[in-house]
Amino acid sequence: MAALRERASACLKCPHLVQSRKNVVFGVGDIHAALMFVGEAPGADEDAQGEPFVGAAGQLLTRIIKTMGLSRETVYIANILKCRPDTPGQSAGNRKPTSDEMKTCLPYLLAQIDLIRPKVLVALGATAIEGLLGAGGGIGKLRGKFQTFRDIPLMPTFHPAYLLRNQALTEKRKVWEDMLRVMEKLEMPVSEKQRNYFLTP
């Protein structure tokens, strides 16, 4: 994994991203993790710190992981893209990675998955699902239903950023139900309290 990190950190395959990046955002967590989360690409906070999911969406993901009874240190978190997509002419905001950028960078993620061999993968958001499964057409159809990727069960769910934009209890519950399915797949104990999170009173 250290050798792979070195190769990714020195990558120059996308010159426009190399020019604009501050850091390559490789991945973080336990390289022997049973559970791996995959997002789409680093944002400004991640680019600055060199770590995935450290902004507001990342803090929410950390809370979800803790509610599962796990920690960032016991799972592995990575993105399809290791560099922040450049935003020429924009002083803020992020953009979706292009399909070419995802194809170019995907071998690093595939190598990470092959080294870690997690028991379950979670794809966070439509772009991550597109990058892994090549499936477009919205996350609504795939969310909550296990897929298979490299012989590993893959749970597509909403990106934490979506939950920050849509605070409805029903949407939070959807993501939590997906996590309960993940916990069951991992044969983790699920308490009554955990089972009842975000159910309308």
Short mmCIF file of all heavy atoms in Angstrom, two decimals, residues 5 31 44 56 61 133 189 197:
data_model
loop_
_atom_site.label_atom_id
_atom_site.label_comp_id
_atom_site.label_asym_id
_atom_site.label_seq_id
_atom_site.Cartn_x
_atom_site.Cartn_y
_atom_site.Cartn_z
N ARG A 5 0.78 4.18 -2.70
CA ARG A 5 0.61 5.60 -2.30
C ARG A 5 1.68 6.46 -2.96
O ARG A 5 1.40 7.55 -3.45
CB ARG A 5 0.68 5.73 -0.77
CG ARG A 5 0.49 7.17 -0.28
CD ARG A 5 0.73 7.28 1.21
NE ARG A 5 -0.36 6.77 1.99
CZ ARG A 5 -1.42 7.49 2.38
NH1 ARG A 5 -1.50 8.77 2.05
NH2 ARG A 5 -2.37 6.96 3.12
N ILE A 31 -5.81 -0.65 6.56
CA ILE A 31 -5.62 -1.37 5.29
C ILE A 31 -6.06 -2.83 5.39
O ILE A 31 -6.00 -3.58 4.42
CB ILE A 31 -4.17 -1.26 4.75
CG1 ILE A 31 -3.16 -1.83 5.74
CG2 ILE A 31 -3.83 0.18 4.40
CD1 ILE A 31 -1.78 -2.04 5.14
N ALA A 44 -12.18 21.02 -1.79
CA ALA A 44 -11.14 21.99 -1.38
C ALA A 44 -10.50 21.61 -0.04
O ALA A 44 -9.28 21.67 0.12
CB ALA A 44 -11.75 23.39 -1.31
N ALA A 56 -17.40 19.26 5.64
CA ALA A 56 -18.69 19.06 6.31
C ALA A 56 -19.27 17.69 6.00
O ALA A 56 -19.77 16.99 6.90
CB ALA A 56 -19.66 20.16 5.89
N LEU A 61 -20.04 11.85 7.53
CA LEU A 61 -19.67 10.45 7.30
C LEU A 61 -19.04 9.86 8.57
O LEU A 61 -19.35 8.73 8.95
CB LEU A 61 -18.70 10.34 6.12
CG LEU A 61 -18.19 8.91 5.82
CD1 LEU A 61 -19.34 7.97 5.46
CD2 LEU A 61 -17.13 8.93 4.73
N LEU A 133 -19.33 1.03 -11.18
CA LEU A 133 -20.19 0.10 -11.93
C LEU A 133 -20.44 0.53 -13.36
O LEU A 133 -21.01 -0.22 -14.15
CB LEU A 133 -21.55 -0.05 -11.21
CG LEU A 133 -21.51 -0.59 -9.77
CD1 LEU A 133 -22.92 -0.62 -9.20
CD2 LEU A 133 -20.88 -1.97 -9.71
N PRO A 189 -23.19 -6.84 15.47
CA PRO A 189 -24.39 -6.75 16.31
C PRO A 189 -25.11 -5.42 16.06
O PRO A 189 -24.46 -4.40 15.85
CB PRO A 189 -23.82 -6.79 17.75
CG PRO A 189 -22.40 -6.36 17.62
CD PRO A 189 -21.95 -6.77 16.25
N TYR A 197 -32.94 4.33 14.83
CA TYR A 197 -32.50 5.69 14.49
C TYR A 197 -33.29 6.26 13.31
O TYR A 197 -33.53 5.55 12.33
CB TYR A 197 -31.01 5.72 14.12
CG TYR A 197 -30.10 5.86 15.32
CD1 TYR A 197 -29.09 4.92 15.56
CD2 TYR A 197 -30.23 6.91 16.22
CE1 TYR A 197 -28.23 5.03 16.65
CE2 TYR A 197 -29.39 7.03 17.31
CZ TYR A 197 -28.39 6.09 17.52
OH TYR A 197 -27.56 6.21 18.59
#
